[in-house]
């Protein structure tokens, strides 16, 4: 019999198992997409993220980014220039979710096939299932490149 | 630039990325706990699951189990005897989520520590972080043991 774990609270989240904490932090309609995208692209400006998520409203995306930042999963860096440049990237905690998202993606693809395939509702391309490359910035030594985003 | 993927629908779920599908299927307050527990214990009767989840109501647990079954993640086996015996176990799809839950658990533990630790709200023990053993029934050849649950 597995023991029942204590109920804990962290940043307004209540959970008993650690994977509940993980699911709570990474869940949300746009958060996993943002994390996955940042893992691949390294650094993104707000407008670049927005372009990748055409269906999200500014209000929604801003809110999700603020929550991800408050939860310590992404960093928001403001460069004082005119107009100001704001860039987002993964923190080490956010980076730790990237391989989990990759295995979830692979599971999702197998699951979709096992369930007989999905119905395409709207426009877009087939999701590529090639190996996902983590951006070099996140590889050991890669943090040297911070700010070198063109 | 990553391409935007088509919006798809599967069993009433709308998603674009495969990991959104995965999160949607495995998410829910009790579902990951049930999946994780079944992975470790192999087969569980309803009463055994209930004992492991003292806070869940019968109505809620029944609903979560039905959804997990409808989504093809768990199997519900009824043995005609008096009183009838009902047992739950993981399907191959549900089994595929087990290692993901394990990595999420490990991430959650690191995250909790990185955020300075959590506040214990209620009774229970510390979550053990030892290696998690998948029940032998789910190992290659282990399905021979189906029904051999005492």
């Amino acid at each position: 019999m597995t023991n029942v774990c204590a109920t804990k609270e962290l940043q307004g989240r209540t959970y008993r198992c650690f994977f509940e904490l993980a699911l709570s932090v990474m869940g949300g309609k746009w958060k996993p997409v943002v994390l996955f995208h940042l893992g691949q692209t390294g650094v993104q400006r707000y407008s670049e993220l927005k372009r990748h998520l055409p269906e999200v409203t500014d209000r929604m995306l801003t809110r999700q980014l603020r929550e991800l930042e408050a939860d310590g999963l992404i960093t928001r860096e403001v460069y004082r220039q005119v107009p100001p440049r704001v860039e987002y990237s993964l923190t080490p905690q956010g980076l730790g979710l990237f391989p989990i998202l990759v295995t979830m993606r692979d599971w999702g693809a197998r699951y979709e096939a096992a369930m007989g395939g999905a119905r395409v509702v709207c426009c877009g391309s087939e999701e590529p299932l090639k190996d996902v490359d983590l951006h070099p910035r996140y590889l050991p030594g890669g943090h040297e490149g911070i700010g070198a985003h063109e």
Side-chain angles (χ1 to χ4, degrees), chain A:
Chain A
M1 184 78 196
T2 317
N3 287 322
V4 173
C5 298
T7 305
K8 292 184 280 186
E9 202 224 88
L10 179 65
Q11 297 211 308
R13 291 188 169 84
T14 308
Y15 58 96
R16 276 209 333 234
C17 306
F18 286 125
F19 53 70
E20 291 180 81
L21 173 63
L23 277 162
S24 165
V25 172
M26 75 196 295
K29 187 149 177 53
W30 304 104
K31 287 180 187 177
V33 187
V34 168
L35 295 170
F36 196 71
H37 190 54
L38 286 179
Q40 288 179 281
T41 55
V43 189
Q44 292 271 282
R45 298 188 197 188
Y46 181 87
S47 56
E48 292 170 316
L49 281 172
K50 184 81 200 300
R51 209 182 317 144
H52 184 67
L53 302 164
E55 292 164 47
V56 75
T57 61
D58 276 313
R59 193 183 155 191
M60 198 53 167
L61 182 55
T62 303
R63 192 180 155 179
Q64 302 275 296
L65 290 170
R66 281 199 189 134
E67 288 180 9
L68 285 168
E69 194 191 354
D71 286 334
L73 301 186
I74 65 171
T75 299
R76 179 176 183 270
E77 195 111 24
V78 183
Y79 296 91
R80 293 183 182 201
Q81 56 187 55
V82 185
R85 185 156 59 100
V86 181
E87 288 183 350
Y88 296 91
S89 59
L90 296 181
T91 64
Q93 312 308 329
L95 180 57
L97 288 173
F98 189 77
I100 298 177
L101 287 167
V102 174
T103 47
M104 278 186 163
R105 182 199 67 162
D106 297 343
W107 181 91
R110 289 198 306 275
Y111 179 74
E112 186 188 274
M115 299 302 277
R119 188 172 67 88
V120 174
V121 177
C122 181
C123 40
S125 53
E126 189 69 24
E127 181 169 351
L129 274 178
K130 58 180 192 301
D131 284 346
V132 183
D133 285 328
L134 191 63
H135 192 272
R137 138 191 206 100
Y138 298 121
L139 301 176
H143 267 277
E144 324 293 322
I146 288 182
H149 176 58
E150 61 281 79

